[in-house]
Amino acid sequence: MSLRPSAERPEGRRRPDSPLVERFIASPNHTERRGYATPDCVILHYTGMPTGAAALALLRDPASEVSAHYFVWEDGRIVQLVGEDRRAWHAGLSVWKGERDINSCSIGIEIVNPGHDGDLPPFPDVQIAAVIALLRDICGRRAIQPERVLAHSDIAPARKRDPGELFPWGRLWREGVGHWVEPSPIVEGPILKRGAEGPPVRALQAMLALYGYGAELSGVYDKQTELCVAAFQRHFRPARVDGEADVSTVETLRRLIEALNPFAPRSGEKVARSAG
Ligand SMILES: [Zn+2]
């Protein structure tokens, strides 16, 4: 593998940004951040490849044009590939709260896991503990808001499923990282799904957009809405990821919004009640 000169500086010359990093192993795949002096969100990924070594090689290959700031092995070791002041290339086409250049405003963390294509094995405890420690460090140093620790699937629902529905967002939240509420129980009731139209669908889309998702307020429960709901479920109601807005999904979304802003309208109830 040939690397550009910028990547050939001896390891250790560049000081890691986090004291939790074992080694700085430079990737050449980064540029200047555009319009952001400092990152204000963190995007979590799984590597989605058969081995961590293969993923690490890809993230350092100039031809791949992908990278991330941090890389967390199954055994909890953390390496840094790109300085936090630089724009790593991990988000791709994505949107959150209307922002489309997520690479410029984020820090990307790759978590070694073969992902959906590798039958989605659970994340080892020691690996999750390392991710939590790293997030505490980054969010503390950078004053990043809890609700801005996001999944790749949150910002690119049509393209990405990582880090997947087995990623323990609830544990992160209990240990002081990220934004989460205990999911509302799955119960019988009205369900909004593909083909539905009208004000309840538009209200659901408005709630998704209010939280940050790139949902269009079309009033039509189309493929895009379904993917957006599935992304929401992967993160916040992982017991059933089917892209259908059941009462539990809508209620969980409503409570998340309310937890951010106690004065938010309680529109979720109206969506659920009129959905039939
Ligand atoms: Zn990803």
Side-chain angles (χ1 to χ4, degrees):
M1 176 168 57
S2 78
L3 297 175
R4 290 207 304 252
S6 65
E8 284 170 358
R9 58 168 73 95
E11 280 165 23
R13 283 276 290 283
R14 161 105 209 193
R15 230 178 84 227
D17 291 297
S18 168
L20 301 167
V21 167
E22 182 192 72
R23 285 204 298 169
F24 198 107
I25 307 177
S27 166
N29 301 333
H30 55 84
T31 46
E32 299 276 317
R33 291 188 182 275
R34 301 174 194 144
Y36 287 85
T38 182
D40 68 1
C41 65
V42 183
I43 307 301
L44 302 186
H45 306 259
Y46 65 47
T47 49
M49 293 180 70
T51 69
L56 187 59
L58 186 80
L59 294 165
R60 300 181 66 213
D61 179 355
S64 75
E65 301 192 336
V66 294
S67 61
H69 296 89
Y70 295 100
F71 183 92
V72 183
W73 289 96
E74 294 101 322
D75 65 3
R77 281 177 299 129
I78 303 170
V79 296
Q80 186 168 3
L81 306 175
V82 175
E84 287 184 10
D85 58 329
R86 303 287 294 173
R87 179 180 182 274
W89 304 339
H90 56 96
L93 275 181
S94 44
V95 61
W96 191 255
K97 293 239 170 199
E99 173 59 68
R100 292 185 178 274
D101 185 3
I102 302 292
N103 281 337
S104 276
C105 64
S106 67
I107 288 175
I109 301 177
E110 286 281 357
I111 303 162
V112 175
N113 185 288
H116 291 86
D117 292 343
D119 294 332
L120 212 59
F123 296 89
D125 265 2
V126 64
Q127 186 183 33
I128 294 302
V131 171
I132 290 170
L134 180 60
L135 284 169
R136 278 184 177 158
D137 169 53
I138 294 168
C139 294
R141 278 188 291 109
R142 300 272 180 192
I144 291 171
Q145 296 303 303
E147 67 274 17
R148 294 188 62 83
V149 176
L150 299 165
H152 198 189
S153 49
D154 289 324
I155 62 168
R159 298 188 304 117
K160 296 293 175 180
R161 292 181 289 175
D162 62 316
E165 54 272 30
L166 293 190
F167 189 77
W169 294 100
R171 175 177 167 191
L172 265 66
W173 178 75
R174 286 187 289 276
E175 298 190 29
V177 176
H179 184 225
W180 205 70
V181 296
E182 198 64 45
S184 300
I186 295 175
V187 293
E188 290 290 311
I191 295 176
L192 286 173
K193 57 185 176 184
R194 276 298 272 285
E197 286 186 35
V201 176
R202 199 182 152 83
L204 168 70
Q205 292 165 334
M207 288 169 71
L208 288 164
L210 183 61
Y211 194 73
Y213 288 89
E216 277 173 51
L217 276 58
S218 63
V220 178
Y221 207 110
D222 52 9
K223 176 95 178 161
Q224 193 251 15
T225 305
E226 188 177 76
L227 290 166
C228 203
V229 168
F232 174 82
Q233 291 170 331
R234 252 181 245 294
H235 188 154
F236 296 106
R237 210 290 304 273
R240 188 189 294 166
V241 179
D242 59 5
E244 297 187 352
D246 54 20
V247 172
S248 155
T249 300
V250 174
E251 182 62 11
T252 303
L253 174 56
R254 184 192 65 74
R255 287 166 48 236
L256 272 168
I257 293 168
E258 200 174 61
L260 283 184
N261 174 11
F263 303 108
R266 295 169 67 88
S267 57
E269 290 173 349
K270 210 156 72 188
V271 174
R273 229 185 277 128
S274 53

